[in-house]
Amino acid sequence: MVLGRSTRLLAGAMTLACLVLIGPSAPGSALFARPPVEPVKAVVPNRVMTWNICNPCEESDVDRAAQIASYAPQVIGMQEACVGDVARIRDYLEYLHGLVYHVEYGSVLTSWGRCGGAPWSPGGFGQAILSAAPMTDRVNVEYPDGGSEDRGYMAVTTTVGGRSVRVFNTHLAQRQQETFRAGQTKVLAAAVARHDRAIVIGDFNAVPEAPELAPMWDLATDTDPRCRPTPVGACEPTTDWLSKFDYVFLRGIEPLAHRVHPSEYSDHSLVEADLKPF
């Protein structure tokens, strides 16, 4: 068994060397076409994470993967996510850290400036979800009015702590665009309300007391007990400008722990939550 694990890690290291030499993987690329792999390192059950990974910020995907691996969540929601970056992060999580994830994308636009790629085939940009368990029933919804840039949400059904749950991941309009966010939140809340049990993660670009978040507060509770529409304590900021913009909303599920991890690889912190078994 030890020999088998060592062999897998050696093969992973050799494949990673190929990645460095010939370029990154992309969804469906032959380089990383592979049968299912048993993870070398176990994810933490009932742990979810949200992170706006900041694009274009020209940060190392190796470093981003290493920070995610430090906490090994079952489910990771990323915003400002270029498809190429997410594919590389997923590969590094597996081949450098032994963490195997499935991936679904929720791109809302193609952007050569943000995501690179060939001029005739720019990279997809939007949201992405990594899950240690398979995902089904993916939907990708672009908000009717994104504001200054297209925005949307994606949703999947996956398994967290052995139970099926609907997971939503979103990125709302920019900070000074409250009117657009109000419309977007109504669209998102209407979708969430159809589920008795849901996890809603993302960058909402609004502080907890912002009026446009009211539809979400009517349905769910953030995992940080100090962050509510009416502050009940020192709400921990999640951005470099000391605002709480990133949330893990729970509907029909109770939180166990909430942590914010500042990152030198983004202007947003990683927000991690452990959930009570449900």
Side-chain angles (χ1 to χ4, degrees):
M1 182 174 178
V2 172
L3 179 60
R5 176 175 294 184
S6 299
T7 301
R8 286 202 306 275
L9 290 174
L10 178 60
M14 294 175 65
T15 306
L16 182 62
C18 293
L19 173 63
V20 173
L21 289 172
I22 69 175
S25 70
S29 71
L31 177 60
F32 283 108
R34 58 192 179 246
V37 180
E38 289 296 322
V40 178
K41 178 180 178 182
V43 299
V44 179
N46 292 307
R47 177 169 292 175
V48 299
M49 176 183 288
T50 183
W51 193 17
N52 181 320
I53 62 174
C54 186
N55 272 311
C57 289
E58 299 181 356
E59 296 293 347
S60 165
D61 290 325
V62 171
D63 294 329
R64 287 167 165 165
Q67 188 160 18
I68 291 170
S70 299
Y71 314 112
Q74 266 199 314
V75 174
I76 309 155
M78 299 181 190
Q79 304 86 42
E80 293 195 18
C82 293
V83 168
D85 282 316
V86 176
R88 285 187 291 270
I89 289 169
R90 180 192 180 209
D91 290 336
Y92 293 139
L93 283 167
E94 179 173 344
Y95 290 106
L96 293 180
H97 304 283
L99 290 164
V100 179
Y101 289 99
H102 303 265
V103 62
E104 293 286 354
Y105 296 97
S107 299
V108 293
L109 58 86
T110 54
S111 175
W112 187 88
R114 282 183 179 269
C115 298
W120 58 89
S121 181
F125 176 81
Q127 287 70 247
I129 294 176
L130 300 182
S131 174
M135 293 175 277
T136 61
D137 303 319
R138 182 190 70 91
V139 299
N140 186 36
V141 176
E142 187 173 329
Y143 292 126
D145 199 333
S148 58
E149 181 178 79
D150 293 345
R151 295 291 164 94
Y153 76 83
M154 64 179 297
V156 301
T157 298
T158 189
T159 301
V160 177
R163 299 289 299 275
S164 178
V165 63
R166 194 68 171 162
V167 178
F168 294 80
N169 182 17
T170 192
H171 187 192
L172 300 190
Q174 295 178 3
R175 278 180 277 176
Q176 289 76 30
Q177 300 179 354
E178 296 89 347
T179 302
F180 295 105
R181 288 198 300 275
Q184 294 164 5
T185 308
K186 290 178 181 177
V187 172
L188 176 62
V192 174
R194 294 195 285 267
H195 301 273
D196 294 331
R197 186 168 56 237
I199 301 168
V200 187
I201 57 183
D203 175 3
F204 285 73
N205 267 320
V207 295
E209 62 270 23
E212 63 267 28
L213 292 191
M216 284 306 308
W217 290 118
D218 290 341
L219 293 171
T221 303
D222 184 55
T223 54
D224 189 340
R226 298 164 297 182
C227 294
R228 297 293 182 266
T230 302
V232 293
C235 184
E236 191 166 3
T238 65
T239 65
D240 285 357
W241 51 94
L242 302 180
S243 294
K244 158 80 171 179
F245 278 5
D246 305 272
Y247 297 79
V248 178
F249 282 111
L250 301 179
R251 176 172 169 82
I253 306 169
E254 294 186 42
L256 185 63
H258 173 93
R259 305 175 190 89
V260 175
H261 305 288
S263 175
E264 61 182 293
Y265 311 116
S266 174
D267 52 1
H268 287 251
S269 300
L270 292 81
V271 178
E272 168 208 334
D274 292 337
L275 315 180
K276 291 183 179 179
F278 54 92

